[in-house]
Amino acid sequence: MQVPLSRDASKWQAIAREYADEYLQPHEVEAELNDGVLPEDITARNKERAIDLGFTAIDVPKSHGGLELPMESQVAIWEQLGRVTNALSWCFPEAQSWMFDACSADQIDKYILPMVRGEHKDCYAITESGPGSDISGLEATAVRDGDEYVLNGEKWYVTSGNLASFFWFQANLPDEDDEALFLVDQGTDGIEIIANPKFSHTYASHHPTYLFRDVRVPVAQRVGRPGDGMSFTHSWFRHERLMIGARSCGAAARLIEEAMAFAQGRIVDGAPLSEKQAIQFMLADSVTELYASRLMTYEAARAADRGDDVKAQHSRCSMVKLYVSEMANRVADRAVQIFGGRGYMRENVAERFFRELRVDRIWEGTSEIQRLIIARSLLKRGLDGI
Ligand SMILES: Cc1cc2nc3c(=O)[nH]c(=O)nc-3n(C[C@H](O)[C@H](O)[C@H](O)COP(=O)(O)OP(=O)(O)OC[C@H]3O[C@@H](n4cnc5c(N)ncnc54)[C@H](O)[C@@H]3O)c2cc1C
């Protein structure tokens, strides 16, 4: 069950599928049983292959040597990478097109292009212990002192903090009555990990809590002008929410295939489990919801390629994130049920996805926050405006 794709998207879909099947999927259980970590040579090989295939350059403008793929093709890639558990597809860094608009020429040379070459990895520090969903209430500060800013604040859940070479750090500018985004090198004096909690999934990427205490960065590390930071973060959100939709479609497809294959081979009462109507209904509901999810995810990608109004794109990315992440959670729950006790084993893909997909309803804005965005947009712009 496919939705029609452009020739370019079909080509990239096949490339990404082959990569996911040959390089990543065979290592899932090994990663699961080793705290998400694979042997160094395997991680290096997977990263190198991803760079060779061009994955680090898919959203990079051609003017900077990138592939500048249409969003439809990028979604086709991330859908296939989403078939794999344990975040094994995070083995390569992702430079995004908005970064080239946001950053100065020096920042692009120092931070963004090295990501395209696979030399740097980034992490995003927005969330705090107080304001979580409500990012308008952030308390971290950046105070100007001559040619430097002095950063202070506590940042929670900084994904890939243990692997990243630099942070995107969102802060208020109390003296300038504004806010801004900063690029901050790992290891700068005053940055400290104050907690490194364990989470439900088994990933090599951790989500530490960082304390920034009087961290000094040159003014040149500010991204854009005061007041631009939040709009860059919104660009990041749109991209991530769409790609959560893409990955959730891939995860759901894999779960349906695996649960179906199991049900066809498992004999109960002298007949394949797949002949039981209760099981068929679970598969039918799952594939129907996947069909709807694929249609809306690819349509939202094409809306970006068409250059539809950005506010409409913003609410559509929220709809994709909301619906498709919740769809994938329902599919994972049914898959565990179809596998029975086997579906509760960590070696089983359904068990891993059942845990891993849960966070897609929380990060990059919870389902409730997506509903608020969609409702506010609907009330403001009407049905034809979103
Ligand atoms: C594994 C993981 C990785 C993460 N990675 C990053 C990262 O790399 N960088 C980063 O900055 N952040 C990251 N986050 C943070 C994530 O984006 C936040 O957890 C999320 O935005 C929710 O914030 P919160 O946890 O403070 O929950 P809260 O804001 O406290 O929300 C708690 C509950 O209240 C609901 N709620 C809140 N406000 C409203 C409202 N107005 N109306 C109705 N319901 C509401 C929420 O939906 C939720 O159900 C990560 C989180 C996790 C779990």
Side-chain angles (χ1 to χ4, degrees):
M1 185 271 299
Q2 289 283 352
V3 298
L5 295 183
S6 69
R7 190 176 295 179
D8 188 69
S10 298
K11 181 189 87 176
W12 281 103
Q13 181 187 52
I15 292 170
R17 178 60 181 268
E18 195 179 322
Y19 174 73
D21 285 354
E22 286 183 18
Y23 284 76
L24 306 181
Q25 205 169 297
H27 299 288
E28 288 175 325
V29 175
E30 186 181 3
E32 178 61 34
L33 301 180
N34 289 288
D35 287 333
V37 180
L38 292 178
E40 269 177 36
D41 58 328
I42 304 283
T43 305
R45 186 201 65 157
N46 291 352
K47 177 178 168 183
E48 198 179 315
R49 181 66 181 152
I51 295 169
D52 286 349
L53 290 172
F55 290 165
T56 58
I58 59 178
D59 199 34
V60 175
K62 287 186 176 149
S63 54
H64 287 279
L67 295 170
E68 201 176 323
L69 294 189
M71 267 305 156
E72 184 189 2
S73 302
Q74 296 191 41
V75 162
I77 291 170
W78 278 107
E79 181 181 7
Q80 296 310 312
L81 300 183
R83 294 175 58 88
V84 180
T85 62
N86 299 87
L88 296 184
S89 61
W90 293 6
C91 61
F92 59 91
E94 272 186 89
Q96 296 180 5
S97 61
W98 66 267
M99 297 174 184
F100 292 86
D101 298 329
C103 292
S104 67
D106 285 348
Q107 290 169 346
I108 290 171
D109 279 347
K110 187 174 170 194
Y111 294 101
I112 315 303
L113 290 177
M115 284 211 284
V116 184
R117 296 194 294 270
E119 296 159 7
H120 276 347
K121 192 169 174 64
D122 62 346
C123 61
Y124 224 104
I126 311 176
T127 307
E128 300 175 1
S129 72
S133 296
D134 179 17
I135 54 172
S136 65
L138 293 182
E139 288 165 3
T141 55
V143 174
R144 184 87 181 245
D145 182 18
D147 292 340
E148 293 181 322
Y149 274 101
V150 183
L151 312 182
N152 278 287
E154 191 177 298
K155 295 292 185 180
W156 281 45
Y157 314 103
V158 182
T159 294
S160 300
N162 58 321
L163 304 174
S165 44
F166 70 93
F167 300 84
W168 301 91
F169 182 88
Q170 184 91 48
N172 289 316
L173 310 177
D175 294 350
E176 301 169 58
D177 197 21
D178 228 322
E179 52 83 26
L181 195 60
F182 292 85
L183 290 159
V184 186
D185 293 306
Q186 272 281 14
T188 307
D189 284 347
I191 301 177
E192 186 191 342
I193 293 180
I194 55 171
N196 194 13
K198 297 273 187 197
F199 289 82
S200 298
H201 52 220
T202 317
Y203 288 3
S205 283
H206 299 168
H207 316 278
T209 309
Y210 283 92
L211 180 64
F212 283 61
R213 189 189 286 130
D214 294 333
V215 176
R216 288 184 167 268
V217 295
V219 171
Q221 303 287 101
R222 191 188 65 216
V223 182
R225 293 181 309 267
D228 286 346
M230 211 45 96
S231 72
F232 300 146
T233 295
H234 282 145
S235 301
W236 161 276
F237 280 155
R238 271 194 299 283
H239 188 100
E240 289 302 312
R241 287 168 187 167
L242 185 59
M243 295 311 164
I244 283 174
R247 289 195 295 271
S248 296
C249 285
R254 168 112 185 263
L255 285 162
I256 293 167
E257 286 166 8
E258 300 253 7
M260 184 173 64
F262 174 78
Q264 286 170 325
R266 172 88 172 143
I267 305 297
V268 292
D269 297 336
L273 184 59
S274 57
E275 290 182 12
K276 304 286 181 201
Q277 196 181 52
I279 301 298
Q280 291 176 357
F281 279 15
M282 285 196 266
L283 291 170
D285 284 344
S286 297
V287 79
T288 303
E289 292 184 50
L290 173 59
Y291 185 37
S293 298
R294 275 185 171 154
L295 287 171
M296 77 189 291
T297 304
Y298 279 101
E299 167 50 28
R302 289 182 198 119
D305 292 334
R306 286 193 302 265
D308 281 13
D309 174 64
V310 151
K311 290 200 166 79
Q313 282 189 47
H314 200 77
S315 40
R316 286 181 214 164
C317 289
S318 287
M319 289 187 238
V320 167
K321 204 265 190 189
L322 170 64
Y323 183 78
V324 184
S325 68
E326 300 212 340
M327 174 282 300
N329 275 264
R330 290 191 291 274
V331 171
D333 185 67
R334 293 181 196 123
V336 169
Q337 202 63 20
I338 291 171
F339 276 107
R342 291 168 177 81
Y344 201 60
M345 295 176 181
R346 285 172 63 188
E347 284 90 339
N348 187 295
V349 64
E351 191 280 342
R352 294 194 301 278
F353 268 136
F354 182 74
R355 277 181 291 122
E356 294 181 11
L357 292 168
R358 189 63 182 83
V359 77
D360 285 329
R361 294 166 53 193
I362 296 171
W363 60 14
E364 308 299 344
T366 62
S367 288
E368 290 71 32
I369 295 304
Q370 305 311 322
R371 288 188 175 93
L372 286 178
I373 294 169
I374 297 161
R376 283 175 188 154
S377 183
L378 173 67
L379 293 168
K380 206 163 169 184
R381 277 179 282 282
L383 195 51
D384 293 335
I386 65 170

